[in-house]
Amino acid sequence: MGDVNKRLSSSSASLKLLLFMVPLIVVIGCVALLGPESSNWVFISHYPWAWSSTTSTAVPPPTSSATNSTIHIEKLVASTKDGEEGHVGLRSRVVGSVHNNREEALSDDSVLNRSASPPLAVQPIQSEQSNGNEEESLSIAMSGTPTAMVPTYESQAVPMEARVPREYSKLEKLEAGLRRARSAIQQAKYGNQSQDPDYVPLGPMYWNANAFHRSYLEMEKQFKVFIYEEGEPPLFHNGPCKSIYSTEGNFIHGLEMDNQFRTKDPDKAHVYFLPFSVSMMVQFVYVRNSHDFSPIRQTVIDYVNVVAGKYPYWNRSLAADHFMLSCHDWGPETSFSVPYLHKNSIRVLCNANTSEGFDPSKDASFPEINLQTGGTRGLLGGPSPSRRSVLAFFAGGVHGPIRPVLLEHWENKDEDIKVHQYLPRGVSYYDMMRKSKYCICPSGYEVASPRVVEAIYTGCVPVLISDHYVPPFSDVLNWKSFSVEVPVKDIPNLKRILTSISTSQYIRMQRRVAQIRKHFEVNSPPKRFDVHHMILHSVWLRRLNVRVHG
């Protein structure tokens, strides 16, 4: 009887368990059939999220749709306390780290093959294949490269014919054009030379002549610059044109008058120019001999506050697509007035000193040209190598750490190397350059020297003696092919270094100096491939290294 009761009890327990499980299984089956209402694919962006802020707030990624190719997770960068990175009241959405948002190259090659300065990291893209459908072409150009694709349920897929064509923003179209330019430049490195009615770059003076030419043509095809109109002369929209800082004023005036690259529509611009002149601020804002830099610093802070408050573009990129230009020694110091200006923006500087924070991957070096009359008349040209009787020449004031060493070892010490602190009466400075095979160009207090361009103008091979100097346009020009670089420690061996260069090698270098001279000439109005356009090209190259997301 006991066994019977045990069996009945066990059967009852099993029945109860069965009655409980059946409804549970039914509920689970219904949930599985209905499934979650979610997107078809989730694309995980490949961009790093390194930007940090003490008050930043993470924004959750939006739900992906069938028409979006990539989810871009964003961070809000809030204002920090006054005087720090947020002092201009910035609160903007940025994708990843702005300071480190130079696109990583897919290979070891840079866009322009190689450079005396660190290579520019430009990401090549696949050649766009299009059947004439502009919408499809843009989609290919702007789609990201996802690191992972996570499928959900195929039953939720949207038929192709039911998808609504995506409407791209102006910024996305600009970025698409830049990606096509990158691809064209990358392909040109190994392709045929482009045709040009004016000038075709050739020779070892260029790291890669084909790539430079294609890049220049792409710049002419699409590059647009917006100049902020705020500010009044003499500090803004103005600059010296008849002094050692002449390239500062000449570029500002040339760009203001430009009809090809300047645009009045900021939505069409690839870069935004801050048209202040450091030279004019030193003249009109700085109190002479006061050693107080704060008036200049405050002027720049106020100007950035104005444009950042009036326009969305500074905040959108945290200055990564903005540029300033200065040939004054205080140009770098001025850029430190606003943290984003020196950290993120394109700084075009004569004083291109890597030991003082000059970054060749985002900053550009341009030449210091002393135009005492405002033009180059009488400065260009010199005799052939056979008519140059002086081995090397220098004349100049003693300032900075290098020139005293040069004068100590060579002033009035050798008939072949003419080194003077003061030229003898009746001797012409430019005539001596034209008589010399090599022109010695030592740094002064700052690394840049107008003697570099003066040597090029007169057909004299420059001898660069400096530390941490990035020569002008060195992302395009191979300076080692037409100049001599002498370390400061080798100044005592200067004659031995120069005489060890064979006559045939010197002649080649001298001819190359004459060939690249056009890139340093000042023209009014500017001409293709001259110094004005080479400065623009330097800015264009660095804009290619930045991808801006709205």
Side-chain angles (χ1 to χ4, degrees), residues 185-200:
I185 296 167
Q186 197 74 9
Q187 293 172 19
K189 289 170 59 176
Y190 311 105
N192 296 324
Q193 184 71 51
S194 301
Q195 299 300 310
D196 197 303
D198 294 332
Y199 178 70
V200 176

Side-chain angles (χ1 to χ4, degrees), residues 188-194 201-202 208-215:
K189 289 170 59 176
Y190 311 105
N192 296 324
Q193 184 71 51
S194 301
L202 290 172
N208 190 303
N210 284 4
F212 164 53
H213 197 197
R214 172 46 56 191
S215 178

Side-chain angles (χ1 to χ4, degrees), residues 27-152:
V27 171
I28 293 173
C30 291
V31 172
L33 288 173
L34 292 174
E37 293 182 7
S38 64
S39 303
N40 205 26
W41 300 92
V42 177
F43 287 2
I44 301 174
S45 174
H46 67 288
Y47 296 102
W49 314 113
W51 188 263
S52 61
S53 174
T54 54
T55 56
S56 63
T57 305
V59 177
T63 304
S64 64
S65 65
T67 57
N68 288 335
S69 62
T70 307
I71 291 177
H72 297 297
I73 303 174
E74 297 176 323
K75 277 187 176 182
L76 288 179
V77 178
S79 303
T80 58
K81 64 183 180 181
D82 197 39
E84 294 184 356
E85 291 182 356
H87 73 93
V88 290
L90 301 179
R91 185 173 178 83
S92 65
R93 286 186 170 90
V94 294
V95 176
S97 165
V98 177
H99 186 51
N100 296 315
N101 68 348
R102 315 294 154 184
E103 295 184 37
E104 296 181 359
L106 295 185
S107 68
D108 291 335
D109 291 331
S110 66
V111 157
L112 295 179
N113 191 20
R114 55 199 179 96
S115 173
S117 59
L120 300 181
V122 176
Q123 177 184 6
I125 60 174
Q126 293 181 351
S127 178
E128 286 85 32
Q129 302 286 331
S130 177
N131 58 2
N133 187 325
E134 180 63 17
E135 190 79 15
E136 179 182 349
S137 175
L138 282 170
S139 178
I140 294 172
M142 290 180 292
S143 61
T145 305
T147 57
M149 294 186 296
V150 183
T152 56

Side-chain angles (χ1 to χ4, degrees), residues 368 392-397 399 402-403 406 417-419 429 433 437-444 446-458 460-467 469 471-472 479 482-488 491 494 498:
E368 190 170 280
F393 166 71
F394 167 79
H399 55 81
I402 297 176
R403 295 183 186 185
L406 178 67
I417 297 183
K418 305 287 187 181
V419 173
Y429 178 79
M433 281 194 150
K437 292 180 172 66
Y438 299 95
C439 289
I440 304 170
C441 307
S443 294
E446 302 297 345
V447 292
S449 169
R451 285 168 181 77
V452 177
V453 174
E454 290 167 348
I456 292 172
Y457 279 0
T458 56
C460 187
V461 175
V463 178
L464 307 182
I465 306 179
S466 62
D467 289 326
Y469 180 45
W479 279 80
F482 59 86
S483 70
V484 180
E485 297 180 7
V486 176
V488 176
I491 287 177
L494 185 59
L498 297 181

Side-chain angles (χ1 to χ4, degrees), residues 33-345:
L33 288 173
L34 292 174
E37 293 182 7
S38 64
S39 303
N40 205 26
W41 300 92
V42 177
F43 287 2
I44 301 174
S45 174
H46 67 288
Y47 296 102
W49 314 113
W51 188 263
S52 61
S53 174
T54 54
T55 56
S56 63
T57 305
V59 177
T63 304
S64 64
S65 65
T67 57
N68 288 335
S69 62
T70 307
I71 291 177
H72 297 297
I73 303 174
E74 297 176 323
K75 277 187 176 182
L76 288 179
V77 178
S79 303
T80 58
K81 64 183 180 181
D82 197 39
E84 294 184 356
E85 291 182 356
H87 73 93
V88 290
L90 301 179
R91 185 173 178 83
S92 65
R93 286 186 170 90
V94 294
V95 176
S97 165
V98 177
H99 186 51
N100 296 315
N101 68 348
R102 315 294 154 184
E103 295 184 37
E104 296 181 359
L106 295 185
S107 68
D108 291 335
D109 291 331
S110 66
V111 157
L112 295 179
N113 191 20
R114 55 199 179 96
S115 173
S117 59
L120 300 181
V122 176
Q123 177 184 6
I125 60 174
Q126 293 181 351
S127 178
E128 286 85 32
Q129 302 286 331
S130 177
N131 58 2
N133 187 325
E134 180 63 17
E135 190 79 15
E136 179 182 349
S137 175
L138 282 170
S139 178
I140 294 172
M142 290 180 292
S143 61
T145 305
T147 57
M149 294 186 296
V150 183
T152 56
Y153 295 95
E154 293 187 9
S155 59
Q156 299 295 315
V158 180
M160 288 294 293
E161 60 271 12
R163 297 184 182 182
V164 178
R166 180 182 174 188
E167 184 174 343
Y168 293 97
S169 68
K170 293 179 180 179
L171 176 60
E172 288 176 311
K173 292 178 181 179
L174 283 177
E175 291 296 329
L178 293 177
R179 294 199 63 163
R180 287 193 290 270
R182 293 186 196 105
S183 179
I185 296 167
Q186 197 74 9
Q187 293 172 19
K189 289 170 59 176
Y190 311 105
N192 296 324
Q193 184 71 51
S194 301
Q195 299 300 310
D196 197 303
D198 294 332
Y199 178 70
V200 176
L202 290 172
M205 304 85 70
Y206 304 98
W207 291 116
N208 190 303
N210 284 4
F212 164 53
H213 197 197
R214 172 46 56 191
S215 178
Y216 189 93
L217 296 177
E218 291 293 328
M219 177 188 75
E220 289 185 318
K221 186 192 308 182
Q222 61 173 303
F223 193 38
K224 295 297 179 185
V225 181
F226 179 76
I227 306 175
Y228 287 115
E229 296 183 358
E230 287 67 29
E232 299 293 335
L235 304 185
F236 302 90
H237 308 281
N238 187 35
C241 295
K242 294 183 179 181
S243 73
I244 198 171
Y245 311 121
S246 64
T247 41
E248 193 171 298
N250 273 297
F251 181 83
I252 293 173
H253 292 304
L255 193 59
E256 294 269 3
M257 302 297 293
D258 190 278
N259 293 322
Q260 179 180 3
F261 296 100
R262 184 183 180 184
T263 177
K264 295 296 185 72
D265 184 353
D267 286 330
K268 294 181 179 179
H270 297 91
V271 295
Y272 302 85
F273 180 46
L274 302 166
F276 57 78
S277 168
V278 176
S279 300
M280 302 307 279
M281 283 192 280
V282 172
Q283 182 177 348
F284 291 101
V285 175
Y286 174 72
V287 178
R288 189 176 179 86
N289 297 323
S290 68
H291 306 291
D292 182 8
F293 197 77
S294 60
I296 293 177
R297 184 177 293 110
Q298 191 60 50
T299 301
V300 177
I301 291 172
D302 291 343
Y303 190 74
V304 171
N305 278 331
V306 169
V307 298
K310 185 175 180 179
Y311 302 91
Y313 310 104
W314 177 278
N315 291 350
R316 182 179 69 183
S317 68
L318 297 183
D321 55 355
H322 287 59
F323 77 98
M324 60 163 285
L325 176 138
S326 174
C327 208
H328 196 279
D329 292 349
W330 293 356
E333 180 66 26
T334 301
S335 74
F336 280 80
S337 303
V338 180
Y340 291 136
L341 187 58
H342 79 85
K343 282 176 60 177
N344 300 338
S345 74

